Amino acid sequence: MADPFAYFAKIKRQMPPLSKALEKRIRQLRQKKYREREQAFVAEGDKLIRQLLQNGCSLLALFVVEGSLHPEEVLIDEADLRRISSLENPSNSLAIFAIPSPKKDSICSPR
């Protein structure tokens, strides 16, 4: 079976504007069957993304309009963020994280 994270590893090298295929793939993560297939989920908002990073969750891709959350972020424009966001009024950041293996106490293990 192919590495489910291989596709998202390519995102880190991609420069804006986002391709239609990438936009579609990110939007598909709204549905459970695609999250399970890709073993990934979308998180939106600076606060949530920071909390997930602090808890040691595995970051696959990070898209920001402005600011600096992580060294591997990709700067995109607001129009691209609106297209990939599931929110009516998207925040300035959207991240894709790997779904962690089941744990008793927390969603991700601390680093």
Side-chain angles (χ1 to χ4, degrees), residues 50-85:
R50 280 194 184 98
Q51 288 174 343
L52 290 169
L53 289 171
Q54 288 172 352
N55 286 333
C57 292
S58 179
L59 178 68
L60 301 177
L62 174 60
F63 303 97
V64 297
V65 173
E66 58 184 39
S68 180
L69 289 172
H70 196 270
E72 296 179 10
E73 65 190 25
V74 175
L75 190 63
I76 61 173
D77 62 24
E78 285 187 44
D80 284 338
L81 186 63
R82 275 194 303 275
R83 284 193 298 272
I84 61 175
S85 175

Side-chain angles (χ1 to χ4, degrees), residues 4 18-19 29 31 41 49 54-55 85 97-98 100 108:
L18 299 177
S19 69
L29 291 175
Q31 297 177 22
F41 68 96
I49 293 170
Q54 288 172 352
N55 286 333
S85 175
F97 287 94
C108 300

Side-chain angles (χ1 to χ4, degrees), residues 14-62:
Q14 182 173 350
M15 295 300 294
L18 299 177
S19 69
K20 296 293 182 192
L22 178 56
E23 287 180 18
K24 179 180 177 183
R25 197 128 186 200
I26 294 170
R27 283 193 310 266
Q28 285 177 335
L29 291 175
R30 296 175 191 171
Q31 297 177 22
K32 183 179 178 180
K33 68 179 179 179
Y34 292 108
R35 289 192 301 269
E36 289 176 347
R37 185 180 75 192
E38 299 289 344
Q39 287 296 296
F41 68 96
V42 174
E44 298 189 54
D46 294 349
K47 184 178 179 182
L48 176 60
I49 293 170
R50 280 194 184 98
Q51 288 174 343
L52 290 169
L53 289 171
Q54 288 172 352
N55 286 333
C57 292
S58 179
L59 178 68
L60 301 177
L62 174 60

